[in-house]
């Protein structure tokens, strides 16, 4: 007589927690990732087109697009202009949407606006502490940023007031008043606008400085490396979970005939991860951004 067959007890899914965790993680990713946010494309030509993030402050035309020059200072000024335009789209997207934010969205909007402030503040600090001294060293001239320093001082007081107001309502978002925030922004808009355009012209003009490195020289290579290394680090060290997604979600790859669609030169999978994995941490904030996937989109609060 054959021995009885030993029946193995059927394992429950509860015995395999990984099988439960995987769909939960996927579900969280789908619901929180900016990649899956609805982002209606903007059609500026449409008759009913609403305000977008190209006003009230006009965006900067890049020197390379305008002049077709390729020297290190024109190139450096161009990359700075692209970074500035992300900041300006951030300013404009906050200004345009602030008076229209719904009560249920106020906390998220405050987070978005505070991230913009952090972006601007760290950008300013990094220029003053790192970039400006290095360029002065290259050109052997410590007077080249005199006007720029004064421009910074002209808007820093208003920028501090912007943060102070948002911090005052951060714990009680219901008290947020979009009209009040827009009024504060009006107070520093003119010097902010002037500086973020003027600095680009200042950098581009350094190509004509008497101590500008000669094309093809070791000094030019060193100066080029200075701009590149600063550009790579200035945004990432400001904050991977907040400033980086903010920056990438306010980049318009269609601008200037799509000349900068692949800027910054980050491998696609890494850029995707910075937006959709790192960005998922504060995912609810990014619905207020001006772009998605490198294309302009309708401003959320104006829909």
């Amino acid at each position: 007589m054959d021995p009885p067959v030993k029946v193995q007890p059927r394992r429950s899914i509860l015995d395999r927690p990984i099988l439960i965790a995987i769909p939960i993680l996927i579900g969280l990713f789908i619901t929180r990732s900016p990649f899956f946010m609805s982002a209606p494309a903007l059609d500026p030509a449409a008759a009913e087109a609403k305000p977008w993030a190209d006003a009230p402050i006009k965006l900067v035309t890049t020197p390379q697009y305008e002049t077709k020059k390729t020297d290190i200072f024109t190139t450096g000024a161009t990359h700075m202009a692209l970074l500035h335009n992300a900041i300006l789209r951030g300013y404009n997207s906050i200004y345009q949407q602030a008076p229209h934010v719904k009560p249920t969205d106020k906390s998220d909007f405050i987070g978005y606006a505070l991230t913009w402030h952090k972006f601007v503040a760290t950008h300013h600090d990094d220029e003053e502490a790192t970039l400006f001294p290095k360029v002065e060293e290259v050109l052997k001239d410590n007077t080249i940023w005199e006007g720029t320093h004064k421009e910074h001082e002209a808007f820093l007081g208003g920028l501090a007031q912007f943060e102070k107001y948002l911090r005052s309502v951060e714990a009680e978002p219901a008290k947020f008043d979009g009209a009040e925030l827009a009024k504060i922004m009006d107070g520093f808009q003119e010097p902010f606008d002037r500086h973020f355009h003027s600095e680009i012209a200042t950098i581009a003009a350094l190509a004509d400085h008497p101590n500008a490195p000669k094309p093809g020289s070791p000094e030019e290579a060193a100066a080029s490396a200075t701009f590149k290394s600063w550009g790579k680090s200035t945004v990432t060290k400001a904050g991977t979970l907040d400033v980086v997604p903010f920056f990438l979600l306010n980049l318009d790859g269609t601008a200037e005939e799509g000349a900068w669609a692949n800027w910054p030169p980050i491998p696609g999978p890494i850029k995707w991860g910075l937006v959709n994995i790192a960005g998922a941490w504060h995912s609810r904030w990014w619905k207020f951004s001006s772009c998605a996937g490198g294309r302009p989109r309708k401003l959320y609060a104006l829909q």
Side-chain angles (χ1 to χ4, degrees):
M1 184 176 178
D2 295 332
V5 177
K6 188 174 182 181
V7 179
Q8 294 290 336
R10 180 174 295 178
R11 294 183 65 185
S12 165
I13 191 172
L14 297 177
D15 297 325
R16 302 178 183 180
I18 188 64
L19 298 180
I20 300 174
I22 290 174
I24 291 174
L25 291 172
I26 292 173
L28 286 171
F29 175 73
I30 290 175
T31 57
R32 294 179 62 85
S33 169
F35 181 76
F36 292 98
M37 294 188 302
S38 72
L42 176 71
D43 179 7
E48 70 278 9
K50 295 181 180 179
W52 187 62
D54 52 358
I57 297 183
K58 184 180 178 181
L59 301 175
V60 184
T61 301
T62 66
Q64 278 192 330
Y65 183 79
E66 193 169 37
T67 68
K68 312 307 178 190
K69 294 180 180 179
T70 57
D71 62 86
I72 58 170
F73 291 107
T74 300
T75 300
T78 293
H79 295 167
M80 185 69 82
L82 294 169
L83 192 153
H84 278 198
N85 279 341
I87 290 175
L88 294 180
R89 290 188 195 97
Y91 177 100
N92 291 338
S93 66
I94 293 167
Y95 187 90
Q96 296 284 8
Q97 295 180 91
H100 306 284
V101 176
K102 297 176 182 177
T104 54
D105 290 326
K106 286 185 175 182
S107 178
D108 297 331
F109 188 77
I110 291 168
Y112 178 77
L114 282 171
T115 301
W116 177 82
H117 173 270
K118 182 181 179 183
F119 189 2
V120 177
T122 56
H123 172 71
H124 161 267
D125 292 348
D126 201 26
E127 281 186 332
E128 294 279 359
T130 307
L131 180 64
F132 291 174
K134 287 184 177 180
V135 177
E136 288 175 349
E137 185 179 341
V138 167
L139 296 176
K140 301 177 179 62
D141 184 349
N142 61 6
T143 68
I144 54 177
W145 303 116
E146 287 180 349
T148 303
H149 293 315
K150 292 177 182 178
E151 290 169 8
H152 280 176
E153 292 300 321
F155 69 79
L156 287 178
L159 191 67
Q161 189 179 0
F162 176 91
E163 183 193 22
K164 182 179 179 180
Y165 173 72
L166 290 170
R167 294 295 182 193
S168 74
V169 297
E170 188 177 17
E172 298 180 84
K175 293 184 177 180
F176 171 78
D177 182 345
E180 178 64 22
L181 185 67
K183 181 180 178 181
I184 292 170
M185 297 175 78
D186 281 331
F188 66 90
Q189 184 179 117
E190 192 278 329
F192 193 80
D193 182 348
R194 183 173 66 251
H195 166 69
F196 272 73
H197 286 77
S198 174
E199 185 174 272
I200 305 308
T202 297
I203 296 172
L206 295 178
D208 298 322
H209 192 282
N211 295 334
K214 294 181 179 180
S217 67
E219 291 77 13
E220 184 194 47
S224 177
T226 294
F227 275 117
K228 287 180 180 178
S229 62
W230 183 85
K232 286 180 179 179
S233 66
T234 188
V235 176
T236 54
K237 70 183 181 183
T240 303
L241 301 180
D242 49 10
V243 173
V244 171
F246 184 103
F247 165 62
L248 294 174
L249 288 167
N250 281 289
L251 286 179
D252 177 11
T254 70
E256 297 184 345
E257 301 175 272
W260 314 110
N262 296 317
W263 189 90
I266 303 172
I270 294 178
K271 184 183 291 186
W272 187 92
L274 289 171
V275 172
N276 298 293
I277 297 176
W281 189 261
H282 298 298
S283 62
R284 295 175 61 89
W285 299 355
W286 314 135
K287 56 179 171 262
F288 298 106
S289 68
S290 65
C291 301
R295 301 184 65 83
R297 67 173 183 172
K298 296 178 182 178
L299 298 179
Y300 175 82
L302 302 185
Q303 295 180 44

